[in-house]
Amino acid sequence: MKTTSLTILALVTMSGALPALAQQPAGKPEDTEVWTPVPKIVRPGTTNAAPPSDAIVLFDGRDLHEWVTASDTTKPAGWRVHNGVVTVNKTAGDIRTKRRFTNYQIHLEWQVPVGITGSGQARGNSGLYLGALPDGGYELQILDSYDNTTYVNGQVGAVYKQYIPLANAMRKPGQWQVYDVIWTAPVFRPDGSLESPAYLTALHNGVLVQNHVALKGGTKYIGTPEYKAHGPLPLLLQAHGDPSPPISFRNLWVREL
Ligand code: MG
């Protein structure tokens, strides 16, 4: 257990996926892991959602012109577009949108490859950041949780280290997963204090996994989440440094609310 956590910490650090790690607070990642109760498994139906007429299409299978490299926004997004999908390039790092958003609905399809390897957090780890901040952001976890045990507030559908999903609706590797998320941004007073938290509702493969949960702040790998005032934020897709084969995405669109 300890060895695994240290290995993951080392891999995350190498990946640079969580810049906040540069200044680690006291404590251990395990301090904020929750392992029970394990969400029940629900088998989802099939889904095939084309963008609605008023959507902003962020990836339609052709190119990544809506995206840049998160660590250097002057660089184009370096992930591989092929056959209508885009596959994570872990070397290129996280990608984020050029556009910024406040309140919105987002649709995202993603696929863990057949032959995925690894376990726990090191198995198809990625993440949808509903807002990217310099020290992280608000992460809805992406992970292969089909037959893969980890801390339940870090499994698929979790608001990472904040909310356990209401169910595990994961399809097998090789099948397409669907996230539909409704995001209400936090509101800050002029002095920077929090007036209203962020709210998130999420469906995974058509199954409700988060029901209007109030976020406790930005995602923290170690320590307690906290809010720092911000305006509209870009969306971010995580290139996690775990050594498992990379996952792919398709059909990504947003409707501003
Ligand atoms: Mg992740």
Side-chain angles (χ1 to χ4, degrees):
M1 182 56 238
K2 193 171 187 181
T3 305
T4 306
S5 297
L6 287 173
T7 304
I8 292 168
L9 177 59
L11 290 165
V12 169
T13 305
M14 283 191 296
S15 79
L18 288 170
L21 285 175
Q23 292 180 323
Q24 285 179 25
K28 303 189 297 294
E30 294 89 331
D31 295 343
T32 45
E33 294 176 0
V34 177
W35 287 77
T36 58
V38 177
K40 66 179 177 180
I41 291 174
V42 174
R43 298 294 175 216
T46 56
T47 305
N48 184 15
S53 58
D54 63 349
I56 297 169
V57 177
L58 294 176
F59 178 65
D60 66 359
R62 281 180 284 205
D63 61 60
L64 290 172
H65 70 271
E66 290 280 350
W67 299 80
V68 292
T69 297
S71 61
D72 179 356
T73 57
T74 66
K75 287 165 71 173
W79 292 9
R80 188 167 70 97
V81 177
H82 57 110
N83 300 324
V85 310
V86 56
T87 297
V88 176
N89 176 348
K90 299 192 186 197
T91 307
D94 302 343
I95 64 172
R96 50 150 272 197
T97 56
K98 294 176 183 173
R99 298 175 197 255
R100 291 168 180 263
F101 300 93
T102 302
N103 304 320
Y104 57 87
Q105 167 190 355
I106 184 169
H107 175 93
L108 167 67
E109 300 178 19
W110 51 279
Q111 183 195 59
V112 173
V114 172
I116 187 73
T117 58
S119 63
Q121 293 288 302
R123 188 178 172 89
N125 197 330
S126 181
L128 170 62
Y129 281 71
L130 288 310
L133 291 162
D135 63 348
Y138 307 102
E139 183 181 7
L140 179 65
Q141 177 67 302
I142 290 175
L143 187 75
D144 179 20
S145 292
Y146 185 76
D147 184 15
N148 177 33
T149 301
T150 187
Y151 44 95
V152 292
N153 61 346
Q155 73 173 62
V156 72
V159 177
Y160 187 77
K161 295 268 181 97
Q162 293 192 34
Y163 288 100
I164 301 163
L166 297 170
N168 179 350
M170 189 82 192
R171 295 185 172 122
K172 291 180 181 177
Q175 298 182 1
W176 283 93
Q177 318 281 333
V178 181
Y179 267 166
D180 287 288
V181 181
I182 298 158
W183 176 255
T184 304
V187 178
F188 298 93
R189 300 186 188 93
D191 68 359
S193 62
L194 183 70
E195 183 171 314
S196 172
Y199 290 98
L200 178 147
T201 295
L203 294 95
H204 180 197
N205 297 330
V207 175
L208 185 68
V209 292
Q210 300 289 349
N211 186 11
H212 196 63
V213 294
L215 272 71
K216 300 164 187 171
T219 298
K220 284 278 184 73
Y221 180 53
I222 300 173
T224 308
E226 59 183 343
Y227 278 105
K228 288 177 189 164
H230 61 75
L233 295 176
L235 306 176
L236 183 144
L237 294 174
Q238 186 186 41
H240 193 278
D242 82 55
S244 64
I247 74 166
S248 298
F249 296 91
R250 71 178 186 189
N251 195 18
L252 208 177
W253 50 261
V254 168
R255 291 182 61 248
E256 292 183 297
L257 302 176

